Amino acid sequence: MSLAPQELENNASVSASEAIKFDSQGARGMAITKYQQAIDALATLMRLFPNGKMNSLYRDRCKSYHDRIQALQQAHGVDPAVDPKASDDEQKASVKRQENENDFEDLIMKEKPDVTWGQVIGLDDAKRALRQSIVYPTKRPDLFPLGWPKGMLLYGPPGTGKTMLAAATANEMDGYFINVDASSMMSKWLGEAEKNVSKLFAMARQYAEKEGKPVILFVDEVDSLLGSRNSEVGGEVRTKNQFLTEMDGVGGKGKDLMMYVIGATNKPWSLDMAFLRRFQKRIYVSLPTQEARKSLFEQYTAELRKDPEVSAADLAKIFDGYSASDIKDICQAAQIKTVDEIFSSPEYHEPVEGEEPIQPRNLTTTDFKEIMAVRKPSVSTEMIRAYHKWSNEFKAL
């Protein structure tokens, strides 16, 4: 076997593709053999190139294939993908239907996301940009003779609300919200990723064209799919080239097509420069302002028992530099702290019938300060500087 990384990666891709094919046909023995061959090729690749930047992705793939092998080996394993008594045509139709369901069932939110603009605290610039680019053209396309942006990039620290922004935008429209985790797609579909990128866009385009409804294709962790292509191999490059082609198609074919691609990333500086211009809007989703932190504390402590002295405005000042998800975690930790005191008390007992259950004491500002001492912000000052530097060069509202 050649020691070239591209050949090893291609061998793994071919084995994985064959494993998926045998698995869908109910040929468990051949599927297990091919899954193992894919694992062996990736393990060799990681051993020969221990510092390879794709190794974490390869480890995830190995685990996925190993888990599938175990599932197939248990007792009589998983039921065959097709009914052996069915006719050839029926078996082919069943396999094709399962392939489509397996690929996309977890990607489509069949109901509108249950997130409203009111639940997205702060981020006024981001909300305005998304309204201008997506919501307004959906409601009055006649007002946009030059068309409108079809690609939007939401970037910023983790936990600042990028996914909520996309969901809230979709909630305001009568359309579809297709949610894709890029890193999962790349690890799950080794040998299939390039084909499935094409199928994914074709499905979204079909909804937009045939049903005349707007479609948001939301790609989370887009940097894992569209990062720098300098040191990648085989299938990764082909998959990214396919995504680039599809993005060009969204922006160039039919200016009135109600189809949008929203990418989200915590690492915008790792994106391939060739893709940046496909995202006409590049929107910085920043840490919450003091006023936004105040609203977040009001929202998350609304149902908690707390002393009158506890002020959301004071907490907003204390927790400067914390993200929206940090603030939710802090309020949850405060609640758990008082509940723990109940269960840890020597006098605690399960309530008997007719007895009023013991309730936690009221939260105080001191409780929040104690939590702050052991729970630091998830975003460092250095990270914020990096976002500001990148924004100065590439931000596009």
Side-chain angles (χ1 to χ4, degrees):
M1 177 183 290
S2 170
L3 300 184
Q6 182 168 345
E7 183 169 346
L8 286 168
E9 194 266 4
N10 285 342
N11 287 343
S13 295
V14 171
S15 296
S17 296
E18 293 176 348
I20 293 168
K21 176 183 176 182
F22 287 125
D23 198 349
S24 69
Q25 295 173 346
R28 300 188 187 97
M30 290 301 299
I32 290 172
T33 299
K34 292 300 180 180
Y35 279 129
Q36 188 60 55
Q37 289 177 0
I39 291 173
D40 292 343
L42 292 177
T44 301
L45 184 58
M46 289 186 287
R47 185 173 65 254
L48 295 175
F49 304 93
N51 297 320
K53 75 168 193 172
M54 300 298 294
N55 283 359
S56 61
L57 187 61
Y58 294 151
R59 279 191 288 270
D60 289 341
R61 290 172 174 171
C62 287
K63 182 180 184 303
S64 174
Y65 301 148
H66 179 71
D67 291 345
R68 184 57 182 166
I69 288 173
Q70 286 189 322
L72 291 172
Q73 288 175 333
Q74 288 177 357
H76 290 287
V78 181
D79 290 338
V82 296
D83 181 0
K85 297 180 180 179
S87 66
D88 289 343
D89 289 342
E90 290 172 337
Q91 290 189 16
K92 290 178 181 178
S94 177
V95 170
K96 184 175 181 180
R97 182 172 62 253
Q98 285 196 27
E99 287 177 346
N100 290 335
E101 290 174 354
N102 291 338
D103 286 344
F104 302 119
E105 183 178 3
D106 295 333
L107 302 181
I108 303 175
M109 294 183 64
K110 295 180 173 62
E111 299 178 0
K112 279 188 178 183
D114 189 20
V115 179
T116 64
W117 285 117
Q119 293 174 280
V120 182
I121 306 298
L123 305 176
D124 292 335
D125 285 347
K127 288 191 282 191
R128 185 182 305 110
L130 289 171
R131 282 195 181 103
Q132 291 173 348
S133 302
I134 299 179
V135 178
Y136 296 165
T138 299
K139 297 180 182 296
R140 288 289 304 277
D142 58 296
L143 298 178
F144 297 85
L146 300 180
W148 50 84
K150 301 295 182 66
M152 276 131 294
L153 179 68
L154 304 178
Y155 67 92
T160 49
K162 295 182 285 294
T163 303
M164 287 189 68
L165 277 167
T169 304
N171 187 46
E172 194 163 325
M173 309 183 311
D174 178 23
Y176 292 93
F177 184 60
I178 303 176
N179 192 345
V180 183
D181 186 310
S183 61
S184 296
M185 182 174 72
M186 292 296 285
S187 62
K188 179 180 179 181
W189 289 336
L190 176 61
E192 299 287 307
E194 180 184 357
K195 179 178 71 174
N196 278 285
V197 165
S198 178
K199 289 170 64 177
L200 183 66
F201 275 85
M203 177 188 67
R205 194 176 294 109
Q206 180 179 10
Y207 284 133
E209 290 177 344
K210 293 189 176 181
E211 299 192 26
K213 292 185 176 182
V215 177
I216 290 180
L217 183 57
F218 178 68
V219 186
D220 200 7
E221 296 187 36
V222 71
D223 51 279
S224 66
L225 182 63
L226 306 181
S228 174
R229 293 178 287 180
N230 294 334
S231 58
E232 290 165 351
V233 293
E236 313 298 339
V237 175
R238 293 193 299 272
T239 300
K240 292 182 179 185
N241 287 339
Q242 183 65 42
F243 198 98
L244 184 63
T245 300
E246 298 292 350
M247 284 287 291
D248 286 338
V250 170
K253 294 180 180 179
K255 68 176 185 178
D256 295 331
L257 186 67
M258 293 290 182
M259 179 177 168
Y260 308 88
V261 180
I262 301 180
T265 179
N266 301 330
K267 298 178 289 185
W269 42 80
S270 69
L271 288 175
D272 192 316
M273 292 297 296
F275 289 94
L276 282 182
R277 69 182 182 86
R278 271 75 181 183
F279 295 106
Q280 299 99 315
K281 294 283 188 178
R282 298 181 288 275
I283 305 165
Y284 180 35
V285 185
S286 62
L287 291 176
T289 62
Q290 181 174 320
E291 187 61 30
R293 292 195 301 274
K294 175 177 177 290
S295 298
L296 287 165
F297 274 112
E298 289 174 344
Q299 176 180 322
Y300 291 129
T301 63
E303 298 183 14
L304 303 182
R305 300 165 65 95
K306 54 187 182 293
D307 280 350
E309 65 155 12
V310 175
S311 164
D314 292 340
L315 293 176
K317 294 176 183 177
I318 294 172
F319 287 93
D320 185 19
Y322 285 74
S323 70
S325 64
D326 287 339
I327 291 173
K328 181 179 180 180
D329 291 342
I330 287 163
C331 294
Q332 185 182 71
Q335 176 194 21
I336 292 174
K337 183 175 184 289
T338 58
V339 171
D340 179 68
E341 292 174 1
I342 293 177
F343 283 93
S344 300
S345 172
E347 290 82 21
Y348 175 75
H349 61 275
E350 295 291 336
V352 298
E353 186 176 353
E355 181 182 11
E356 187 70 23
I358 300 174
Q359 297 298 325
R361 63 170 175 80
N362 289 349
L363 284 166
T364 67
T365 303
T366 301
D367 291 318
F368 287 95
K369 289 181 178 179
E370 290 176 355
I371 292 169
M372 182 181 182
V374 296
R375 184 181 287 271
K376 302 304 179 183
S378 60
V379 183
S380 67
T381 304
E382 290 73 20
M383 290 175 64
I384 297 301
R385 291 197 190 102
Y387 287 119
H388 285 166
K389 180 180 178 181
W390 197 88
S391 294
N392 288 338
E393 295 185 53
F394 301 108
K395 184 176 182 180
L397 287 175

